[in-house]
Amino acid sequence: HAPHFGKMIVTPAMECFGSHRLIYGSSPVPAYATQSLLAPERWIECVWPVVAELVCAGEKAEARAEVDMVFYGNAKRILE
């Protein structure tokens, strides 16, 4: 099940590195692999709720900021 798989991958990374050191990324999947793997556009649907759940212990605005860091802010900070 995809959400469980996302949780298996994301939880140890978040616990080890924290939201300030993670960057969500995706890469194109070859056409032959899309039949057996989760389609690339579905990965974010799988991973976003897991990240949000892991950071929801804080204030709502702070939690949203942490989620945004994983999916956008950390990469922006590094590339600037």
Side-chain angles (χ1 to χ4, degrees), residues 26-48:
S26 62
S27 60
V29 176
Y32 65 84
T34 58
Q35 295 173 355
S36 61
L37 299 174
L38 188 61
E41 62 273 8
R42 295 282 322 276
W43 271 107
I44 198 161
E45 295 170 14
C46 178
V47 174
W48 187 286

Side-chain angles (χ1 to χ4, degrees), residues 5-69:
F5 185 67
K7 194 168 197 163
M8 257 179 20
I9 294 171
V10 174
T11 301
M14 285 286 289
E15 290 173 351
C16 184
F17 298 109
S19 59
H20 65 287
R21 292 175 53 195
L22 291 180
I23 298 173
Y24 174 83
S26 62
S27 60
V29 176
Y32 65 84
T34 58
Q35 295 173 355
S36 61
L37 299 174
L38 188 61
E41 62 273 8
R42 295 282 322 276
W43 271 107
I44 198 161
E45 295 170 14
C46 178
V47 174
W48 187 286
V50 175
V51 173
E53 178 184 326
L54 291 170
V55 300
C56 74
E59 295 293 322
K60 188 173 184 174
E62 291 173 5
R64 176 60 191 209
E66 284 188 60
V67 172
D68 288 346
M69 291 305 291

